[in-house]
Amino acid sequence: MAEKITNEFLLEQAGEYGTPLYVYHGEKIKEQYEKLSSAFSALDTKFFYASKALTNINILRYIKNLGCNVDCSSSNEVKLALHAGFEPERVLYTSNGISFAEIEEAAAAGVHINIDSLSNLEKFGKKYGHTYPVGIRIRPNIMAGGNIKISTGHNTSKFGIPVHQIEDIERLMKETNICIHALHIHTGSDIKDPDIFVKGIEVLFELIPHFPDLKVIDLGGGFKVPYKPGEDEVNMPLLARRIKETFVSDFQTQNRNLSLWFEPGKFLVSECGYLLATVTVLKDTGEITFAAVNSGLNHLIRPMMYDAYHHLENISNPKGVKKNYWVTGNICETDNFAAGRTLNEIREGDILAIYNGGAYGFEMASNYNSRYKPAEVLVENGIARLIRRRDNFEDLIRNQAELI
Ligand code: LLP
């Protein structure tokens, strides 16, 4: 197990680099990757890190050096992955709603591609025929995931080609001779129940006889990680066992030699990250004590966007008496990090650590209210290094044309 980063260490980083600051713990990523790879060691499995969770180039390289591959959701993520040194065969582009030109760009780079519409499938087939094996994203009509905003496989989801359109896929295969080598699903994020993955495999196995060139079943990502203290993550050994049972039995009946791919995002990087923020103002209204910090939904949007729970600690006063606080940002909107949370007594100037900051934290950050995005620090073997400097005023105006 990776040794936990201590509060003292986090405080040192806040002192060294200032706040707001994202701190990522490399060994935690490694620990998570090892959990995955050991759980699935008995199957022919490949993992593609869903880089949309956190694309800092140093994180990409760290993950590459672990032996993991990378999944991308835009052509720029593909470029970042290649820039980070991933060979094209280790890069997967799971596209949705994109122009065909972007797919052509990915094909020119030689990366694996999952296509999610009949429209692009037809264009791809017409251009590449049997020369470029491609995957298709299927919408399995399964409801899964922590909440509706991060649920992507249900029957009103925009993602994938609905499973009932199999005849249209077959028609395109005949017309264009397209080579479909992978069937992909991703049903949502924060999934704890192994049966969701089993259900997904069952939907895909029904389709297998239609795909003579099939080599890969790609089950996407979505493994749940704990956000609250004491909460469980997905039971990975159990999940792997259930998937293996289903996979092997169905595979044997069909006598097909298939690899299994996954695209974990949160599972690899959520828990490695901490957002450190300084308390700027304490406001006691009689009913509520607000603790405002020098960060907000511009740096971590998950609490406001998904009502997500992020554990918080006052690392400057670990022995302080417990009191109830609303921790808010400084953005000119309601931006609670926590509404009604018991924390060690907070004083202005204290540093709060917000947990689970690795996945969809910095990556979804913005310059709203013309505030700077935070700096990022990566910790490896107890040594912290700056992997992105904080924005500065130049960054805010760089792309603007000053015409008036
Ligand atoms: N593969 C595909 C095709 C995906 O769309 C996603 C996430 C993943 C893999 C990785 O899912 P993960 O293992 O990270 O759950 N911003 C939201 C999550 C959105 C996920 C979008 N797709 C959040 O902060 O909860």
Side-chain angles (χ1 to χ4, degrees):
M1 276 250 291
E3 216 168 290
K4 204 177 164 294
I5 281 198
T6 62
N7 289 349
E8 293 70 35
F9 187 83
L10 289 174
L11 282 173
E12 270 171 40
Q13 306 321 312
E16 174 78 22
Y17 300 104
T19 63
L21 180 71
Y22 273 104
V23 177
Y24 309 120
H25 185 199
E27 282 83 14
K28 181 62 186 167
I29 303 177
K30 184 160 181 254
E31 178 187 320
Q32 293 300 99
Y33 181 66
E34 282 169 359
K35 272 189 218 166
L36 273 177
S37 43
S38 62
F40 284 94
S41 58
L43 279 171
D44 173 10
T45 312
K46 276 191 187 169
F47 299 100
F48 294 78
Y49 163 56
S51 60
K52 64 177 77 67
L54 179 60
T55 54
N56 186 293
I57 291 163
N58 301 277
I59 298 291
L60 296 180
R61 291 200 175 121
Y62 187 91
I63 287 176
K64 171 179 161 283
N65 293 342
L66 295 175
C68 190
N69 308 293
V70 65
D71 175 50
C72 303
S73 56
S74 71
S75 54
N76 286 341
E77 281 186 7
V78 170
K79 283 187 203 153
L80 278 172
L82 296 172
H83 178 82
F86 282 94
E87 300 80 9
E89 62 274 17
R90 289 178 66 186
V91 180
L92 172 62
Y93 182 12
T94 302
S95 63
N96 91 87
I98 63 168
S99 71
F100 186 61
E102 212 179 304
I103 295 185
E104 289 177 299
E105 206 183 318
V111 304
H112 298 290
I113 301 170
N114 286 327
I115 291 181
D116 103 321
S117 67
L118 288 171
S119 156
N120 272 331
L121 194 64
E122 180 169 11
K123 290 175 192 145
F124 198 91
K126 281 188 176 151
K127 173 148 186 189
Y128 300 97
H130 215 72
T131 63
Y132 201 115
V134 75
I136 49 174
R137 180 168 185 169
I138 299 290
R139 192 186 77 193
N141 297 342
I142 294 172
M143 183 58 93
N147 65 64
I148 189 68
K149 287 188 185 158
I150 52 174
S151 179
T152 50
H154 56 82
N155 63 8
T156 55
S157 165
K158 70 166 184 171
F159 293 100
I161 302 172
V163 60
H164 61 259
Q165 291 185 333
I166 180 67
E167 283 173 14
D168 296 299
I169 300 173
E170 278 197 297
R171 179 179 49 76
L172 289 179
M173 285 166 67
K174 277 206 194 83
E175 280 171 18
T176 67
N177 195 25
I178 191 168
C179 176
I180 294 179
H181 81 130
L183 289 179
H184 169 280
I185 54 171
H186 169 79
T187 57
S189 205
D190 288 350
I191 304 170
K192 195 172 163 201
D193 180 4
D195 285 346
I196 297 291
F197 290 91
V198 169
K199 249 199 241 172
I201 297 177
E202 281 166 355
V203 170
L204 294 183
F205 269 106
E206 295 277 306
L207 302 182
I208 287 178
H210 301 272
F211 296 96
D213 300 314
L214 199 68
K215 301 271 184 302
V216 173
I217 294 290
D218 179 347
L219 296 180
F223 307 128
K224 170 151 184 50
V225 296
Y227 278 90
K228 294 184 177 156
E231 201 176 48
D232 290 330
E233 69 182 11
V234 68
N235 182 334
M236 198 49 81
L238 173 68
L239 177 82
R241 205 163 57 240
R242 296 278 289 118
I243 287 180
K244 188 174 161 219
E245 284 159 9
T246 321
F247 201 72
V248 169
S249 70
D250 287 11
F251 149 77
Q252 274 166 354
T253 55
Q254 299 206 24
N255 200 21
R256 300 284 292 268
N257 200 6
L258 298 174
S259 314
L260 190 56
W261 289 4
F262 289 105
E263 302 156 1
K266 280 180 188 167
F267 193 79
L268 288 178
V269 298
S270 176
E271 292 162 277
C272 82
Y274 304 78
L275 172 59
L276 305 183
T278 303
V279 177
T280 39
V281 174
L282 270 179
K283 187 185 285 180
D284 188 348
T285 64
E287 285 151 348
I288 293 174
T289 307
F290 291 101
V293 297
N294 62 349
S295 182
L297 60 74
N298 52 330
H299 298 157
L300 180 66
I301 203 171
R302 301 193 73 261
M304 292 312 292
M305 185 146 170
Y306 311 113
D307 290 326
Y309 182 101
H310 280 257
H311 183 59
L312 282 165
E313 272 181 34
N314 179 3
I315 58 174
S316 296
N317 194 16
K319 298 210 171 87
V321 290
K322 301 279 188 193
K323 294 193 172 173
N324 194 277
Y325 295 96
W326 286 44
V327 178
T328 72
N330 58 4
I331 287 300
C332 197
E333 303 213 5
T334 301
D335 69 338
N336 301 323
F337 281 120
R341 198 74 70 79
T342 304
L343 297 164
N344 296 106
E345 183 175 12
I346 295 178
R347 299 134 329 165
E348 289 182 359
D350 281 355
I351 308 282
L352 305 189
I354 305 173
Y355 285 60
N356 289 83
Y360 311 105
F362 185 93
E363 206 56 35
M364 294 177 81
S366 74
N367 290 113
Y368 188 36
N369 281 192
S370 295
R371 296 225 172 249
Y372 302 147
K373 287 193 204 167
E376 294 176 291
V377 159
L378 173 62
V379 182
E380 286 176 275
N381 306 316
I383 295 167
R385 288 186 295 168
L386 190 67
I387 55 171
R388 186 193 303 259
R389 67 158 171 77
R390 188 179 316 290
D391 282 349
N392 58 31
F393 190 70
E394 236 342 270
D395 295 320
L396 293 186
I397 56 173
R398 173 170 299 126
N399 296 330
Q400 302 191 43
E402 298 199 44
L403 298 181
I404 293 168

